[in-house]
Amino acid sequence: MIKGCIFDLDGVVVDTARYHFLAWKRLADQLGFIFTEEDNERLKGVSRMASLEILLSVGGMHPDNQKKQEMAILKNQWYLEYIDKMTPDEILPGVTSFLELLKSAGIKTALGTASKNAWTILNHIGLSNIFDSVVDGNRVTNAKPDPEVFLLAAADLKLNPDECLVFEDAVAGVEAAIKGGMKCIGVGSPEVLIKADRVIAGFSHADLDMIEF
Ligand code: BG6
Ligand code: MG
């Protein structure tokens, strides 16, 4: 029986993927190569530095570590410019009411994200008090598809992994949930999230039957 639901942030609670894309593209433009939305798909769920490595491989560039740090800082400054303007209107449809439904049914909730900017986003969208636990990129050492982020969330909720259900939009995140011994509902396309137990398009029609396994 599912006693806890763990939500990824980017692409599940909010659509910040487009802000990540705009900031990475600005970096690629400055470095002088083309970075497409298709390239950006590979960055979903992946940590900031791993994302930079993928971006640099697209451009065929091999800068030293200090340069890479500078690039990551620059990209994050641009990303912060976008997320600092976020409002509660940007919460994806149905998410808030589903979180409230889970709470009223006694199901615990957590956020499990690779992002180091999670608290900034939660504060801007007004969801900083809704989760029983928040595990962000500052608390984990191993990025998805390693299950560390979700195992930490389960431990915070004082639940066993098999009592937890993860909502994820990224292939790496679905793999992390499975490796952690948790059920996983993919949010997005069934053709992409093939390993998920179930796939939903979004939370507009989410109900408690959906989390029965
Ligand atoms: C993930 C996103 O949630 O967080 C990735 O899907 C992003 O695209 C990663 O790179 C790290 O985010 P941040 O905010 O710490 O740069
Ligand atoms: Mg995501």
Side-chain angles (χ1 to χ4, degrees), residues 8-10 17 20 24 43-48 51 75-76 79 113-118 121 137 144 169-170:
D8 173 50
L9 176 65
D10 296 311
H20 279 296
W24 285 126
L43 274 52
K44 286 189 179 171
V46 177
S47 70
R48 194 181 306 164
S51 296
K75 180 267 170 177
N76 196 54
Y79 180 64
T113 172
S115 175
K116 294 184 172 173
N117 294 303
I121 295 171
K144 301 169 186 176
D169 71 313

mmCIF file with all atom_site columns, all heavy atoms in Angstrom, residues 8-10 17 20 24 43-48 51 75-76 79 113-118 121 137 144 169-170, ligand 1:
data_model
loop_
_atom_site.group_PDB
_atom_site.id
_atom_site.type_symbol
_atom_site.label_atom_id
_atom_site.label_alt_id
_atom_site.label_comp_id
_atom_site.label_asym_id
_atom_site.label_entity_id
_atom_site.label_seq_id
_atom_site.pdbx_PDB_ins_code
_atom_site.Cartn_x
_atom_site.Cartn_y
_atom_site.Cartn_z
_atom_site.occupancy
_atom_site.B_iso_or_equiv
_atom_site.pdbx_formal_charge
_atom_site.auth_seq_id
_atom_site.auth_comp_id
_atom_site.auth_asym_id
_atom_site.auth_atom_id
_atom_site.pdbx_PDB_model_num
ATOM   1   N N   . ASP A 1 8   ? 9.096  14.744 -8.229  1.00 0.00 ? 8   ASP A N   1
ATOM   2   C CA  . ASP A 1 8   ? 10.166 15.513 -8.859  1.00 0.00 ? 8   ASP A CA  1
ATOM   3   C C   . ASP A 1 8   ? 9.646  16.956 -8.998  1.00 0.00 ? 8   ASP A C   1
ATOM   4   O O   . ASP A 1 8   ? 8.429  17.182 -8.934  1.00 0.00 ? 8   ASP A O   1
ATOM   5   C CB  . ASP A 1 8   ? 10.472 14.889 -10.228 1.00 0.00 ? 8   ASP A CB  1
ATOM   6   C CG  . ASP A 1 8   ? 11.454 15.716 -11.017 1.00 0.00 ? 8   ASP A CG  1
ATOM   7   O OD1 . ASP A 1 8   ? 12.501 16.076 -10.461 1.00 0.00 ? 8   ASP A OD1 1
ATOM   8   O OD2 . ASP A 1 8   ? 11.163 16.020 -12.197 1.00 0.00 ? 8   ASP A OD2 1
ATOM   9   N N   . LEU A 1 9   ? 10.535 17.911 -9.160  1.00 0.00 ? 9   LEU A N   1
ATOM   10  C CA  . LEU A 1 9   ? 10.095 19.316 -9.255  1.00 0.00 ? 9   LEU A CA  1
ATOM   11  C C   . LEU A 1 9   ? 9.975  19.786 -10.714 1.00 0.00 ? 9   LEU A C   1
ATOM   12  O O   . LEU A 1 9   ? 8.877  20.038 -11.218 1.00 0.00 ? 9   LEU A O   1
ATOM   13  C CB  . LEU A 1 9   ? 11.092 20.215 -8.496  1.00 0.00 ? 9   LEU A CB  1
ATOM   14  C CG  . LEU A 1 9   ? 10.840 21.723 -8.570  1.00 0.00 ? 9   LEU A CG  1
ATOM   15  C CD1 . LEU A 1 9   ? 9.532  22.115 -7.898  1.00 0.00 ? 9   LEU A CD1 1
ATOM   16  C CD2 . LEU A 1 9   ? 12.007 22.483 -7.909  1.00 0.00 ? 9   LEU A CD2 1
ATOM   17  N N   . ASP A 1 10  ? 11.139 19.886 -11.386 1.00 0.00 ? 10  ASP A N   1
ATOM   18  C CA  . ASP A 1 10  ? 11.165 20.430 -12.750 1.00 0.00 ? 10  ASP A CA  1
ATOM   19  C C   . ASP A 1 10  ? 10.433 19.479 -13.706 1.00 0.00 ? 10  ASP A C   1
ATOM   20  O O   . ASP A 1 10  ? 10.834 18.332 -13.871 1.00 0.00 ? 10  ASP A O   1
ATOM   21  C CB  . ASP A 1 10  ? 12.620 20.599 -13.220 1.00 0.00 ? 10  ASP A CB  1
ATOM   22  C CG  . ASP A 1 10  ? 13.385 21.627 -12.381 1.00 0.00 ? 10  ASP A CG  1
ATOM   23  O OD1 . ASP A 1 10  ? 12.856 22.726 -12.188 1.00 0.00 ? 10  ASP A OD1 1
ATOM   24  O OD2 . ASP A 1 10  ? 14.502 21.313 -11.929 1.00 0.00 ? 10  ASP A OD2 1
ATOM   25  N N   . ALA A 1 17  ? 11.642 23.491 -17.270 1.00 0.00 ? 17  ALA A N   1
ATOM   26  C CA  . ALA A 1 17  ? 12.550 22.992 -18.321 1.00 0.00 ? 17  ALA A CA  1
ATOM   27  C C   . ALA A 1 17  ? 12.808 24.081 -19.366 1.00 0.00 ? 17  ALA A C   1
ATOM   28  O O   . ALA A 1 17  ? 13.919 24.198 -19.885 1.00 0.00 ? 17  ALA A O   1
ATOM   29  C CB  . ALA A 1 17  ? 11.967 21.746 -18.975 1.00 0.00 ? 17  ALA A CB  1
ATOM   30  N N   . HIS A 1 20  ? 15.455 26.408 -18.010 1.00 0.00 ? 20  HIS A N   1
ATOM   31  C CA  . HIS A 1 20  ? 16.774 25.768 -18.120 1.00 0.00 ? 20  HIS A CA  1
ATOM   32  C C   . HIS A 1 20  ? 17.255 25.858 -19.568 1.00 0.00 ? 20  HIS A C   1
ATOM   33  O O   . HIS A 1 20  ? 18.403 26.209 -19.827 1.00 0.00 ? 20  HIS A O   1
ATOM   34  C CB  . HIS A 1 20  ? 16.697 24.282 -17.716 1.00 0.00 ? 20  HIS A CB  1
ATOM   35  C CG  . HIS A 1 20  ? 16.716 24.044 -16.235 1.00 0.00 ? 20  HIS A CG  1
ATOM   36  N ND1 . HIS A 1 20  ? 17.782 24.355 -15.432 1.00 0.00 ? 20  HIS A ND1 1
ATOM   37  C CD2 . HIS A 1 20  ? 15.786 23.499 -15.411 1.00 0.00 ? 20  HIS A CD2 1
ATOM   38  C CE1 . HIS A 1 20  ? 17.522 24.017 -14.174 1.00 0.00 ? 20  HIS A CE1 1
ATOM   39  N NE2 . HIS A 1 20  ? 16.312 23.499 -14.134 1.00 0.00 ? 20  HIS A NE2 1
ATOM   40  N N   . TRP A 1 24  ? 20.659 27.621 -20.884 1.00 0.00 ? 24  TRP A N   1
ATOM   41  C CA  . TRP A 1 24  ? 21.710 26.822 -21.552 1.00 0.00 ? 24  TRP A CA  1
ATOM   42  C C   . TRP A 1 24  ? 21.938 27.316 -22.979 1.00 0.00 ? 24  TRP A C   1
ATOM   43  O O   . TRP A 1 24  ? 23.062 27.365 -23.460 1.00 0.00 ? 24  TRP A O   1
ATOM   44  C CB  . TRP A 1 24  ? 21.338 25.330 -21.569 1.00 0.00 ? 24  TRP A CB  1
ATOM   45  C CG  . TRP A 1 24  ? 21.495 24.607 -20.271 1.00 0.00 ? 24  TRP A CG  1
ATOM   46  C CD1 . TRP A 1 24  ? 20.545 23.877 -19.621 1.00 0.00 ? 24  TRP A CD1 1
ATOM   47  C CD2 . TRP A 1 24  ? 22.683 24.501 -19.449 1.00 0.00 ? 24  TRP A CD2 1
ATOM   48  N NE1 . TRP A 1 24  ? 21.045 23.347 -18.459 1.00 0.00 ? 24  TRP A NE1 1
ATOM   49  C CE2 . TRP A 1 24  ? 22.352 23.715 -18.338 1.00 0.00 ? 24  TRP A CE2 1
ATOM   50  C CE3 . TRP A 1 24  ? 23.984 25.015 -19.554 1.00 0.00 ? 24  TRP A CE3 1
ATOM   51  C CZ2 . TRP A 1 24  ? 23.282 23.414 -17.327 1.00 0.00 ? 24  TRP A CZ2 1
ATOM   52  C CZ3 . TRP A 1 24  ? 24.908 24.715 -18.553 1.00 0.00 ? 24  TRP A CZ3 1
ATOM   53  C CH2 . TRP A 1 24  ? 24.557 23.924 -17.464 1.00 0.00 ? 24  TRP A CH2 1
ATOM   54  N N   . LEU A 1 43  ? 19.023 16.772 -21.100 1.00 0.00 ? 43  LEU A N   1
ATOM   55  C CA  . LEU A 1 43  ? 19.437 17.415 -19.846 1.00 0.00 ? 43  LEU A CA  1
ATOM   56  C C   . LEU A 1 43  ? 18.397 17.240 -18.737 1.00 0.00 ? 43  LEU A C   1
ATOM   57  O O   . LEU A 1 43  ? 18.674 17.532 -17.574 1.00 0.00 ? 43  LEU A O   1
ATOM   58  C CB  . LEU A 1 43  ? 19.670 18.920 -20.070 1.00 0.00 ? 43  LEU A CB  1
ATOM   59  C CG  . LEU A 1 43  ? 21.057 19.344 -20.555 1.00 0.00 ? 43  LEU A CG  1
ATOM   60  C CD1 . LEU A 1 43  ? 21.509 18.581 -21.771 1.00 0.00 ? 43  LEU A CD1 1
ATOM   61  C CD2 . LEU A 1 43  ? 21.088 20.839 -20.819 1.00 0.00 ? 43  LEU A CD2 1
ATOM   62  N N   . LYS A 1 44  ? 17.224 16.754 -19.092 1.00 0.00 ? 44  LYS A N   1
ATOM   63  C CA  . LYS A 1 44  ? 16.144 16.657 -18.108 1.00 0.00 ? 44  LYS A CA  1
ATOM   64  C C   . LYS A 1 44  ? 16.503 15.669 -16.997 1.00 0.00 ? 44  LYS A C   1
ATOM   65  O O   . LYS A 1 44  ? 16.903 14.538 -17.278 1.00 0.00 ? 44  LYS A O   1
ATOM   66  C CB  . LYS A 1 44  ? 14.837 16.244 -18.777 1.00 0.00 ? 44  LYS A CB  1
ATOM   67  C CG  . LYS A 1 44  ? 14.220 17.379 -19.573 1.00 0.00 ? 44  LYS A CG  1
ATOM   68  C CD  . LYS A 1 44  ? 12.827 17.032 -20.057 1.00 0.00 ? 44  LYS A CD  1
ATOM   69  C CE  . LYS A 1 44  ? 12.250 18.200 -20.825 1.00 0.00 ? 44  LYS A CE  1
ATOM   70  N NZ  . LYS A 1 44  ? 11.007 17.870 -21.503 1.00 0.00 ? 44  LYS A NZ  1
ATOM   71  N N   . GLY A 1 45  ? 16.356 16.101 -15.761 1.00 0.00 ? 45  GLY A N   1
ATOM   72  C CA  . GLY A 1 45  ? 16.622 15.246 -14.611 1.00 0.00 ? 45  GLY A CA  1
ATOM   73  C C   . GLY A 1 45  ? 18.089 15.138 -14.250 1.00 0.00 ? 45  GLY A C   1
ATOM   74  O O   . GLY A 1 45  ? 18.450 14.574 -13.218 1.00 0.00 ? 45  GLY A O   1
ATOM   75  N N   . VAL A 1 46  ? 18.949 15.685 -15.109 1.00 0.00 ? 46  VAL A N   1
ATOM   76  C CA  . VAL A 1 46  ? 20.391 15.543 -14.950 1.00 0.00 ? 46  VAL A CA  1
ATOM   77  C C   . VAL A 1 46  ? 20.931 16.742 -14.159 1.00 0.00 ? 46  VAL A C   1
ATOM   78  O O   . VAL A 1 46  ? 20.462 17.862 -14.325 1.00 0.00 ? 46  VAL A O   1
ATOM   79  C CB  . VAL A 1 46  ? 21.037 15.478 -16.366 1.00 0.00 ? 46  VAL A CB  1
ATOM   80  C CG1 . VAL A 1 46  ? 22.537 15.403 -16.282 1.00 0.00 ? 46  VAL A CG1 1
ATOM   81  C CG2 . VAL A 1 46  ? 20.491 14.272 -17.122 1.00 0.00 ? 46  VAL A CG2 1
ATOM   82  N N   . SER A 1 47  ? 21.935 16.521 -13.299 1.00 0.00 ? 47  SER A N   1
ATOM   83  C CA  . SER A 1 47  ? 22.461 17.596 -12.451 1.00 0.00 ? 47  SER A CA  1
ATOM   84  C C   . SER A 1 47  ? 23.080 18.716 -13.293 1.00 0.00 ? 47  SER A C   1
ATOM   85  O O   . SER A 1 47  ? 23.346 18.542 -14.484 1.00 0.00 ? 47  SER A O   1
ATOM   86  C CB  . SER A 1 47  ? 23.516 17.047 -11.498 1.00 0.00 ? 47  SER A CB  1
ATOM   87  O OG  . SER A 1 47  ? 24.670 16.707 -12.235 1.00 0.00 ? 47  SER A OG  1
ATOM   88  N N   . ARG A 1 48  ? 23.322 19.866 -12.644 1.00 0.00 ? 48  ARG A N   1
ATOM   89  C CA  . ARG A 1 48  ? 23.829 21.034 -13.372 1.00 0.00 ? 48  ARG A CA  1
ATOM   90  C C   . ARG A 1 48  ? 25.154 20.742 -14.086 1.00 0.00 ? 48  ARG A C   1
ATOM   91  O O   . ARG A 1 48  ? 25.301 21.040 -15.280 1.00 0.00 ? 48  ARG A O   1
ATOM   92  C CB  . ARG A 1 48  ? 23.999 22.208 -12.405 1.00 0.00 ? 48  ARG A CB  1
ATOM   93  C CG  . ARG A 1 48  ? 24.198 23.534 -13.103 1.00 0.00 ? 48  ARG A CG  1
ATOM   94  C CD  . ARG A 1 48  ? 24.374 24.662 -12.090 1.00 0.00 ? 48  ARG A CD  1
ATOM   95  N NE  . ARG A 1 48  ? 23.275 24.704 -11.131 1.00 0.00 ? 48  ARG A NE  1
ATOM   96  C CZ  . ARG A 1 48  ? 23.312 25.360 -9.978  1.00 0.00 ? 48  ARG A CZ  1
ATOM   97  N NH1 . ARG A 1 48  ? 24.387 26.044 -9.638  1.00 0.00 ? 48  ARG A NH1 1
ATOM   98  N NH2 . ARG A 1 48  ? 22.274 25.335 -9.165  1.00 0.00 ? 48  ARG A NH2 1
ATOM   99  N N   . SER A 1 51  ? 24.740 18.288 -16.876 1.00 0.00 ? 51  SER A N   1
ATOM   100 C CA  . SER A 1 51  ? 24.076 18.970 -17.994 1.00 0.00 ? 51  SER A CA  1
ATOM   101 C C   . SER A 1 51  ? 25.095 19.766 -18.806 1.00 0.00 ? 51  SER A C   1
ATOM   102 O O   . SER A 1 51  ? 25.072 19.759 -20.045 1.00 0.00 ? 51  SER A O   1
ATOM   103 C CB  . SER A 1 51  ? 23.000 19.947 -17.481 1.00 0.00 ? 51  SER A CB  1
ATOM   104 O OG  . SER A 1 51  ? 21.972 19.263 -16.826 1.00 0.00 ? 51  SER A OG  1
ATOM   105 N N   . LYS A 1 75  ? 25.457 30.270 -16.259 1.00 0.00 ? 75  LYS A N   1
ATOM   106 C CA  . LYS A 1 75  ? 24.159 29.701 -16.642 1.00 0.00 ? 75  LYS A CA  1
ATOM   107 C C   . LYS A 1 75  ? 23.173 29.820 -15.485 1.00 0.00 ? 75  LYS A C   1
ATOM   108 O O   . LYS A 1 75  ? 22.004 30.174 -15.674 1.00 0.00 ? 75  LYS A O   1
ATOM   109 C CB  . LYS A 1 75  ? 24.328 28.223 -17.050 1.00 0.00 ? 75  LYS A CB  1
ATOM   110 C CG  . LYS A 1 75  ? 23.035 27.531 -17.456 1.00 0.00 ? 75  LYS A CG  1
ATOM   111 C CD  . LYS A 1 75  ? 22.355 26.815 -16.313 1.00 0.00 ? 75  LYS A CD  1
ATOM   112 C CE  . LYS A 1 75  ? 20.971 26.336 -16.677 1.00 0.00 ? 75  LYS A CE  1
ATOM   113 N NZ  . LYS A 1 75  ? 20.320 25.585 -15.593 1.00 0.00 ? 75  LYS A NZ  1
ATOM   114 N N   . ASN A 1 76  ? 23.646 29.550 -14.272 1.00 0.00 ? 76  ASN A N   1
ATOM   115 C CA  . ASN A 1 76  ? 22.725 29.605 -13.133 1.00 0.00 ? 76  ASN A CA  1
ATOM   116 C C   . ASN A 1 76  ? 22.262 31.043 -12.856 1.00 0.00 ? 76  ASN A C   1
ATOM   117 O O   . ASN A 1 76  ? 21.115 31.256 -12.469 1.00 0.00 ? 76  ASN A O   1
ATOM   118 C CB  . ASN A 1 76  ? 23.357 28.989 -11.883 1.00 0.00 ? 76  ASN A CB  1
ATOM   119 C CG  . ASN A 1 76  ? 22.305 28.678 -10.842 1.00 0.00 ? 76  ASN A CG  1
ATOM   120 O OD1 . ASN A 1 76  ? 21.319 27.990 -11.122 1.00 0.00 ? 76  ASN A OD1 1
ATOM   121 N ND2 . ASN A 1 76  ? 22.468 29.205 -9.646  1.00 0.00 ? 76  ASN A ND2 1
ATOM   122 N N   . TYR A 1 79  ? 19.530 31.558 -15.253 1.00 0.00 ? 79  TYR A N   1
ATOM   123 C CA  . TYR A 1 79  ? 18.371 30.755 -14.852 1.00 0.00 ? 79  TYR A CA  1
ATOM   124 C C   . TYR A 1 79  ? 17.642 31.441 -13.689 1.00 0.00 ? 79  TYR A C   1
ATOM   125 O O   . TYR A 1 79  ? 16.406 31.527 -13.684 1.00 0.00 ? 79  TYR A O   1
ATOM   126 C CB  . TYR A 1 79  ? 18.850 29.351 -14.470 1.00 0.00 ? 79  TYR A CB  1
ATOM   127 C CG  . TYR A 1 79  ? 17.745 28.420 -14.036 1.00 0.00 ? 79  TYR A CG  1
ATOM   128 C CD1 . TYR A 1 79  ? 16.737 28.027 -14.917 1.00 0.00 ? 79  TYR A CD1 1
ATOM   129 C CD2 . TYR A 1 79  ? 17.700 27.917 -12.729 1.00 0.00 ? 79  TYR A CD2 1
ATOM   130 C CE1 . TYR A 1 79  ? 15.720 27.168 -14.512 1.00 0.00 ? 79  TYR A CE1 1
ATOM   131 C CE2 . TYR A 1 79  ? 16.696 27.067 -12.325 1.00 0.00 ? 79  TYR A CE2 1
ATOM   132 C CZ  . TYR A 1 79  ? 15.714 26.691 -13.218 1.00 0.00 ? 79  TYR A CZ  1
ATOM   133 O OH  . TYR A 1 79  ? 14.713 25.846 -12.816 1.00 0.00 ? 79  TYR A OH  1
ATOM   134 N N   . THR A 1 113 ? 14.327 16.212 -5.859  1.00 0.00 ? 113 THR A N   1
ATOM   135 C CA  . THR A 1 113 ? 14.801 16.877 -7.077  1.00 0.00 ? 113 THR A CA  1
ATOM   136 C C   . THR A 1 113 ? 16.311 17.031 -7.111  1.00 0.00 ? 113 THR A C   1
ATOM   137 O O   . THR A 1 113 ? 16.947 17.184 -6.067  1.00 0.00 ? 113 THR A O   1
ATOM   138 C CB  . THR A 1 113 ? 14.148 18.279 -7.211  1.00 0.00 ? 113 THR A CB  1
ATOM   139 O OG1 . THR A 1 113 ? 14.754 18.984 -8.295  1.00 0.00 ? 113 THR A OG1 1
ATOM   140 C CG2 . THR A 1 113 ? 14.330 19.122 -5.954  1.00 0.00 ? 113 THR A CG2 1
ATOM   141 N N   . ALA A 1 114 ? 16.854 17.035 -8.325  1.00 0.00 ? 114 ALA A N   1
ATOM   142 C CA  . ALA A 1 114 ? 18.285 17.283 -8.516  1.00 0.00 ? 114 ALA A CA  1
ATOM   143 C C   . ALA A 1 114 ? 18.617 18.766 -8.390  1.00 0.00 ? 114 ALA A C   1
ATOM   144 O O   . ALA A 1 114 ? 19.783 19.149 -8.265  1.00 0.00 ? 114 ALA A O   1
ATOM   145 C CB  . ALA A 1 114 ? 18.699 16.798 -9.903  1.00 0.00 ? 114 ALA A CB  1
ATOM   146 N N   . SER A 1 115 ? 17.609 19.611 -8.405  1.00 0.00 ? 115 SER A N   1
ATOM   147 C CA  . SER A 1 115 ? 17.859 21.059 -8.462  1.00 0.00 ? 115 SER A CA  1
ATOM   148 C C   . SER A 1 115 ? 18.363 21.629 -7.140  1.00 0.00 ? 115 SER A C   1
ATOM   149 O O   . SER A 1 115 ? 17.840 21.312 -6.067  1.00 0.00 ? 115 SER A O   1
ATOM   150 C CB  . SER A 1 115 ? 16.580 21.797 -8.856  1.00 0.00 ? 115 SER A CB  1
ATOM   151 O OG  . SER A 1 115 ? 16.809 23.191 -8.793  1.00 0.00 ? 115 SER A OG  1
ATOM   152 N N   . LYS A 1 116 ? 19.355 22.503 -7.246  1.00 0.00 ? 116 LYS A N   1
ATOM   153 C CA  . LYS A 1 116 ? 19.845 23.236 -6.076  1.00 0.00 ? 116 LYS A CA  1
ATOM   154 C C   . LYS A 1 116 ? 19.046 24.523 -5.876  1.00 0.00 ? 116 LYS A C   1
ATOM   155 O O   . LYS A 1 116 ? 19.273 25.252 -4.923  1.00 0.00 ? 116 LYS A O   1
ATOM   156 C CB  . LYS A 1 116 ? 21.333 23.558 -6.248  1.00 0.00 ? 116 LYS A CB  1
ATOM   157 C CG  . LYS A 1 116 ? 22.176 22.286 -6.254  1.00 0.00 ? 116 LYS A CG  1
ATOM   158 C CD  . LYS A 1 116 ? 23.657 22.572 -6.315  1.00 0.00 ? 116 LYS A CD  1
ATOM   159 C CE  . LYS A 1 116 ? 24.412 21.250 -6.103  1.00 0.00 ? 116 LYS A CE  1
ATOM   160 N NZ  . LYS A 1 116 ? 25.841 21.374 -6.302  1.00 0.00 ? 116 LYS A NZ  1
ATOM   161 N N   . ASN A 1 117 ? 18.131 24.796 -6.794  1.00 0.00 ? 117 ASN A N   1
ATOM   162 C CA  . ASN A 1 117 ? 17.315 26.016 -6.718  1.00 0.00 ? 117 ASN A CA  1
ATOM   163 C C   . ASN A 1 117 ? 15.894 25.719 -6.236  1.00 0.00 ? 117 ASN A C   1
ATOM   164 O O   . ASN A 1 117 ? 15.008 26.573 -6.377  1.00 0.00 ? 117 ASN A O   1
ATOM   165 C CB  . ASN A 1 117 ? 17.243 26.684 -8.095  1.00 0.00 ? 117 ASN A CB  1
ATOM   166 C CG  . ASN A 1 117 ? 18.597 27.193 -8.547  1.00 0.00 ? 117 ASN A CG  1
ATOM   167 O OD1 . ASN A 1 117 ? 19.229 27.989 -7.863  1.00 0.00 ? 117 ASN A OD1 1
ATOM   168 N ND2 . ASN A 1 117 ? 19.067 26.722 -9.700  1.00 0.00 ? 117 ASN A ND2 1
ATOM   169 N N   . ALA A 1 118 ? 15.683 24.510 -5.676  1.00 0.00 ? 118 ALA A N   1
ATOM   170 C CA  . ALA A 1 118 ? 14.316 24.090 -5.351  1.00 0.00 ? 118 ALA A CA  1
ATOM   171 C C   . ALA A 1 118 ? 13.624 25.051 -4.382  1.00 0.00 ? 118 ALA A C   1
ATOM   172 O O   . ALA A 1 118 ? 12.466 25.425 -4.598  1.00 0.00 ? 118 ALA A O   1
ATOM   173 C CB  . ALA A 1 118 ? 14.333 22.682 -4.771  1.00 0.00 ? 118 ALA A CB  1
ATOM   174 N N   . ILE A 1 121 ? 12.392 28.218 -6.017  1.00 0.00 ? 121 ILE A N   1
ATOM   175 C CA  . ILE A 1 121 ? 11.174 27.989 -6.811  1.00 0.00 ? 121 ILE A CA  1
ATOM   176 C C   . ILE A 1 121 ? 9.968  27.797 -5.887  1.00 0.00 ? 121 ILE A C   1
ATOM   177 O O   . ILE A 1 121 ? 8.917  28.416 -6.083  1.00 0.00 ? 121 ILE A O   1
ATOM   178 C CB  . ILE A 1 121 ? 11.373 26.770 -7.749  1.00 0.00 ? 121 ILE A CB  1
ATOM   179 C CG1 . ILE A 1 121 ? 12.456 27.083 -8.788  1.00 0.00 ? 121 ILE A CG1 1
ATOM   180 C CG2 . ILE A 1 121 ? 10.054 26.386 -8.431  1.00 0.00 ? 121 ILE A CG2 1
ATOM   181 C CD1 . ILE A 1 121 ? 12.897 25.906 -9.635  1.00 0.00 ? 121 ILE A CD1 1
ATOM   182 N N   . GLY A 1 137 ? 19.009 19.161 -4.594  1.00 0.00 ? 137 GLY A N   1
ATOM   183 C CA  . GLY A 1 137 ? 20.358 18.870 -5.083  1.00 0.00 ? 137 GLY A CA  1
ATOM   184 C C   . GLY A 1 137 ? 21.467 19.214 -4.098  1.00 0.00 ? 137 GLY A C   1
ATOM   185 O O   . GLY A 1 137 ? 22.596 18.754 -4.254  1.00 0.00 ? 137 GLY A O   1
ATOM   186 N N   . LYS A 1 144 ? 20.464 11.379 -10.074 1.00 0.00 ? 144 LYS A N   1
ATOM   187 C CA  . LYS A 1 144 ? 19.627 10.398 -10.767 1.00 0.00 ? 144 LYS A CA  1
ATOM   188 C C   . LYS A 1 144 ? 20.369 9.954  -12.026 1.00 0.00 ? 144 LYS A C   1
ATOM   189 O O   . LYS A 1 144 ? 21.019 10.794 -12.647 1.00 0.00 ? 144 LYS A O   1
ATOM   190 C CB  . LYS A 1 144 ? 18.278 11.026 -11.157 1.00 0.00 ? 144 LYS A CB  1
ATOM   191 C CG  . LYS A 1 144 ? 17.457 11.551 -9.985  1.00 0.00 ? 144 LYS A CG  1
ATOM   192 C CD  . LYS A 1 144 ? 16.276 12.383 -10.490 1.00 0.00 ? 144 LYS A CD  1
ATOM   193 C CE  . LYS A 1 144 ? 15.542 13.043 -9.336  1.00 0.00 ? 144 LYS A CE  1
ATOM   194 N NZ  . LYS A 1 144 ? 14.447 13.930 -9.760  1.00 0.00 ? 144 LYS A NZ  1
ATOM   195 N N   . ASP A 1 169 ? 9.204  13.034 -14.596 1.00 0.00 ? 169 ASP A N   1
ATOM   196 C CA  . ASP A 1 169 ? 9.066  13.313 -16.027 1.00 0.00 ? 169 ASP A CA  1
ATOM   197 C C   . ASP A 1 169 ? 10.321 12.928 -16.809 1.00 0.00 ? 169 ASP A C   1
ATOM   198 O O   . ASP A 1 169 ? 10.308 13.009 -18.035 1.00 0.00 ? 169 ASP A O   1
ATOM   199 C CB  . ASP A 1 169 ? 8.783  14.803 -16.283 1.00 0.00 ? 169 ASP A CB  1
ATOM   200 C CG  . ASP A 1 169 ? 10.005 15.662 -16.004 1.00 0.00 ? 169 ASP A CG  1
ATOM   201 O OD1 . ASP A 1 169 ? 10.636 15.467 -14.952 1.00 0.00 ? 169 ASP A OD1 1
ATOM   202 O OD2 . ASP A 1 169 ? 10.342 16.512 -16.846 1.00 0.00 ? 169 ASP A OD2 1
ATOM   203 N N   . ALA A 1 170 ? 11.392 12.534 -16.100 1.00 0.00 ? 170 ALA A N   1
ATOM   204 C CA  . ALA A 1 170 ? 12.654 12.261 -16.788 1.00 0.00 ? 170 ALA A CA  1
ATOM   205 C C   . ALA A 1 170 ? 12.989 10.772 -16.753 1.00 0.00 ? 170 ALA A C   1
ATOM   206 O O   . ALA A 1 170 ? 12.718 10.091 -15.754 1.00 0.00 ? 170 ALA A O   1
ATOM   207 C CB  . ALA A 1 170 ? 13.785 13.041 -16.121 1.00 0.00 ? 170 ALA A CB  1
HETATM 208 C C1  . BG6 B 2 .   ? 16.651 18.908 -12.618 1.00 0.00 ? 1   BG6 B C1  1
HETATM 209 C C2  . BG6 B 2 .   ? 16.383 19.386 -14.027 1.00 0.00 ? 1   BG6 B C2  1
HETATM 210 O O1  . BG6 B 2 .   ? 15.461 18.861 -11.892 1.00 0.00 ? 1   BG6 B O1  1
HETATM 211 O O2  . BG6 B 2 .   ? 17.554 19.787 -11.949 1.00 0.00 ? 1   BG6 B O2  1
HETATM 212 C C3  . BG6 B 2 .   ? 17.696 19.536 -14.783 1.00 0.00 ? 1   BG6 B C3  1
HETATM 213 O O3  . BG6 B 2 .   ? 15.542 18.470 -14.687 1.00 0.00 ? 1   BG6 B O3  1
HETATM 214 C C4  . BG6 B 2 .   ? 18.626 20.458 -14.004 1.00 0.00 ? 1   BG6 B C4  1
HETATM 215 O O4  . BG6 B 2 .   ? 17.435 20.039 -16.072 1.00 0.00 ? 1   BG6 B O4  1
HETATM 216 C C5  . BG6 B 2 .   ? 18.821 19.921 -12.590 1.00 0.00 ? 1   BG6 B C5  1
HETATM 217 O O5  . BG6 B 2 .   ? 19.891 20.548 -14.650 1.00 0.00 ? 1   BG6 B O5  1
HETATM 218 C C6  . BG6 B 2 .   ? 19.718 20.811 -11.729 1.00 0.00 ? 1   BG6 B C6  1
HETATM 219 O O6  . BG6 B 2 .   ? 19.067 22.036 -11.532 1.00 0.00 ? 1   BG6 B O6  1
HETATM 220 P P1  . BG6 B 2 .   ? 19.733 23.329 -10.906 1.00 0.00 ? 1   BG6 B P1  1
HETATM 221 O O7  . BG6 B 2 .   ? 18.551 24.219 -10.639 1.00 0.00 ? 1   BG6 B O7  1
HETATM 222 O O8  . BG6 B 2 .   ? 20.420 22.903 -9.626  1.00 0.00 ? 1   BG6 B O8  1
HETATM 223 O O9  . BG6 B 2 .   ? 20.702 23.869 -11.888 1.00 0.00 ? 1   BG6 B O9  1
#
